[in-house]
Amino acid sequence: MSLSVQRSNRSAPTIVSRRGLLRLGLGAGALFALAACSDAGAGSVGGGGPGTVSWAWQLPTTWDPVTSSAGSDVTMLALAYDALTALDGDGNAVGWLAEKWAYNHDGTQVTFTLRPGLKFSDGSPLDAAAVAKSIERGRSAPGSLIAPQLVDLKKVAAQGDREVVIDLAGTNYQYPLLLAGKTGMVVNPAVFEKDAHTLATRPAGSGPFTLTSYVANDHAELRKNEFFHLADQIAITRFLLYPAADPATVVASVASGQYDVARVPASGIKAAQASGLEVQVLDSMYVAVLDVNTSKPPFDNPAVVEAMKYGIDRESIKKIANFGIGDVGYQPFPKGYVGYNAQLAQAFRYDPAKARKILADAGLSGKVRSTLSAAAPVPAAVEQIQAQLADIGIDLEIDLVPPSQWTQIVYLNRGKPLGYDGFAGRESPLQAFQVLFSSTGLMNPSRSGDPELAAQLAKVAAIPTDAPEYPAALQEATRIAVTRFPNTFLYEVPSILVRRPSLAPLKQHPSLLRWEGVTA
């Protein structure tokens, strides 16, 4: 039994560096299990056997990357889809479906060259025309949740069989990063041109596995895709995916062989080790956050928002609710990531006296009452936050929302004043800013923008990501966002996995969990 901690070296970052962002995501929809959207029929699921992996993680909100409403879906969708690019261990954009790319002289056009001989999982050619149609669908399809990230894309077209040319409205050097996640996942046009609705339960991609059966809220079964361009690196022939296991029984479920690997809360580490299981703590770009809707009282009063930021004892939450796991943070990026602004390291350090004074100066002492929404079951951290804010004079009633309804109620309907959730970032930092801080951002329930931030982000986009001036420009955008927006960042949340010794260790990756080279 062992505890394997795979963390980036904070003094010399190897996991999240210059161009990386995000780890595996639980964005809109949260720290908690998310239900799938629909039911796809048949197939019984047996247990175990050589070459089989049974994984209790979560099911995606949909199997269509264009309408996926959770950042965390990227890990599940990557079982069935390939993106145009990928992130390496340092978070830099590298070739995936595209073997290379090149910008024109002013950064307004980028050409991606595909690898030769690519195929979708049904054996049909995956060529430049298919890629161009897939990207165009993400930009223009009704209901697309990735369209806001492609607003500067003027035109995408195939040039021959292997070159995809993207014309932009302005200079933007972020596209190789942007297309490493859901935004760059290539969907088979033969399927979405016939009936795009089928993609919700039947993915049509070129990833390492092909979905063979799916029952919403219950399980998905996938088989190895022999047409995957790295099929020789996939040792798993059968893949079983389940929703997150009950935290109270997850260790017993893995020990009994029901699952080979599962996510475990920090409170379960000792029990897992005592059961002879392996535990991995994987570094993460995921951060817990309070989403604040300033269009709803009492958070339409800036004094309430400011007092709340100073009234939360993050160190205490880390110690008690999180069992000492996860670094405290006041911004969306961790130390070691290029967007991390050192000037914000103690931006809203716990100061209850200051918080009470802010409320008193605004004439609000004893007058602030609202709700704090969280996905059921109630996390321990939420109860701590409730008690801490009550101590400074903000009384919150805990409001539990079914996990399957979280995105719709909190982010699409914008129906709650305050929500406890998590942000996983995105492969491109500009994409992360769009989701959190723009007037079209899914995780910005107020839908309020800021001209100063928009101007700074335009500057960032116009700078090549390996240019010397890039870090300072990005960090200035972080400063503007954190000091001008109500989002209240709390702490980093690493991924804690418990697995049976027969399953090889999963590999640290800045964006998602991948299965190349993993044996079972």
Side-chain angles (χ1 to χ4, degrees):
M1 59 183 177
S2 66
L3 173 63
S4 174
V5 181
Q6 292 179 234
R7 307 209 55 183
S8 58
N9 182 329
R10 297 305 195 190
S11 61
T14 59
I15 301 304
V16 282
S17 65
R18 178 170 302 270
R19 281 174 275 183
L21 179 57
L22 164 73
R23 204 214 97 68
L24 121 226
L26 298 177
L31 294 164
F32 317 103
L34 290 163
C37 296
S38 55
D39 191 323
S44 60
V45 177
T52 296
V53 167
S54 179
W55 188 26
W57 190 256
Q58 69 183 80
L59 295 171
T61 58
T62 173
W63 287 97
D64 184 354
V66 166
T67 57
S68 160
S69 60
S72 54
D73 284 351
V74 67
T75 286
M76 287 74 69
L77 293 175
L79 298 173
Y81 293 96
D82 283 323
L84 206 58
T85 59
L87 300 184
D88 66 12
D90 293 331
N92 301 313
V94 296
W96 199 249
L97 290 179
E99 63 181 7
K100 62 182 179 179
W101 58 86
Y103 274 92
N104 66 353
H105 70 284
D106 61 359
T108 60
Q109 183 186 83
V110 56
T111 300
F112 291 89
T113 302
L114 301 180
R115 299 180 187 279
L118 295 173
K119 293 182 180 181
F120 287 106
S121 58
D122 64 358
S124 61
L126 194 166
D127 56 14
V131 173
K133 288 181 179 180
S134 182
I135 294 174
E136 175 59 30
R137 174 176 178 255
R139 185 182 75 89
S140 60
S144 171
L145 294 179
I146 62 175
Q149 298 139 29
L150 298 169
V151 292
D152 65 341
L153 193 156
K154 291 173 55 180
K155 179 183 177 183
V156 55
Q159 186 171 284
D161 291 336
R162 293 178 55 200
E163 290 193 340
V164 180
V165 183
I166 295 176
D167 290 306
L168 305 170
T171 303
N172 189 344
Y173 288 102
Q174 294 280 314
Y175 265 75
L177 292 171
L178 176 67
L179 297 176
K182 288 190 296 181
T183 307
M185 287 183 174
V186 179
V187 183
N188 192 338
V191 175
F192 67 72
E193 289 178 339
K194 181 178 180 181
D195 185 359
H197 293 95
T198 64
L199 292 168
T201 56
R202 295 194 292 276
S206 60
F209 302 98
T210 301
L211 187 73
T212 56
S213 70
Y214 174 57
V215 178
N217 306 318
D218 186 82
H219 79 275
E221 181 172 359
L222 303 98
R223 298 281 178 164
K224 179 178 177 179
N225 173 22
E226 297 296 343
F227 294 115
F228 176 53
H229 76 281
L230 294 176
D232 60 339
Q233 297 183 27
I234 299 296
I236 298 165
T237 56
R238 182 171 180 244
F239 199 103
L240 306 175
L241 179 65
Y242 296 93
D246 183 342
T249 61
V250 60
V251 171
S253 297
V254 177
S256 70
Q258 180 180 358
Y259 306 122
D260 296 302
V261 60
R263 183 168 52 231
V264 67
S267 58
I269 290 177
K270 290 185 178 180
Q273 292 174 311
S275 298
L277 301 173
E278 303 290 332
V279 178
Q280 287 183 268
V281 181
L282 297 176
D283 224 359
S284 172
M285 288 294 290
Y286 179 68
V287 59
V289 62
L290 294 180
D291 295 312
V292 186
N293 190 338
T294 55
S295 69
K296 293 183 178 295
F299 301 102
D300 55 349
N301 189 324
V304 176
V305 176
E306 185 180 12
M308 180 175 65
K309 290 185 176 185
Y310 286 106
I312 297 173
D313 187 350
R314 295 159 176 80
E315 289 287 354
S316 177
I317 295 172
K318 171 184 174 179
K319 180 179 179 181
I320 298 173
N322 297 345
F323 290 80
I325 301 293
D327 293 337
V328 165
Y330 303 90
Q331 55 186 299
F333 309 126
K335 292 179 182 177
Y337 173 65
V338 65
Y340 176 84
N341 190 319
Q343 295 178 353
L344 301 172
Q346 299 293 331
F348 301 104
R349 188 173 183 176
Y350 181 52
D351 191 338
K354 182 173 183 176
R356 294 188 196 99
K357 185 176 187 304
I358 291 169
L359 293 177
D361 289 347
L364 295 172
S365 295
K367 299 180 181 179
V368 181
R369 289 176 175 78
S370 188
T371 59
L372 171 56
S373 299
V378 59
V382 168
E383 295 179 324
Q384 274 193 268
I385 292 169
Q386 180 192 40
Q388 291 169 1
L389 293 181
D391 183 57
I392 67 166
I394 300 178
D395 294 319
L396 301 174
E397 179 182 348
I398 295 176
D399 166 50
L400 292 181
V401 176
S404 61
Q405 300 176 32
W406 180 267
T407 297
Q408 185 66 46
I409 292 173
V410 176
Y411 295 124
L412 298 177
N413 296 347
R414 296 143 61 191
K416 301 295 182 179
L418 183 67
Y420 173 83
D421 198 357
F423 176 65
R426 296 295 185 272
E427 285 78 6
S428 160
L430 264 64
Q431 186 184 6
F433 279 103
Q434 184 274 322
V435 172
L436 283 171
F437 305 115
S438 79
S439 59
T440 59
L442 185 67
M443 294 185 70
N444 178 8
S446 307
R447 298 296 192 269
S448 57
D450 184 271
E452 183 181 352
L453 179 60
Q456 185 62 29
L457 293 177
K459 293 179 182 178
V460 174
I463 302 173
T465 55
D466 56 359
E469 62 269 30
Y470 179 72
L474 184 57
Q475 290 161 23
E476 174 61 11
T478 303
R479 184 197 66 78
I480 295 170
V482 169
T483 56
R484 296 174 71 96
F485 280 79
N487 313 59
T488 303
F489 298 98
L490 302 171
Y491 44 82
E492 298 168 34
V493 183
S495 295
I496 308 173
L497 308 181
V498 58
R499 58 180 173 79
R500 294 170 59 80
S502 58
L503 179 66
L506 277 72
K507 296 176 182 179
Q508 176 74 65
H509 191 276
S511 177
L512 45 82
L513 295 178
R514 298 207 62 94
W515 297 89
E516 289 82 15
V518 177
T519 57

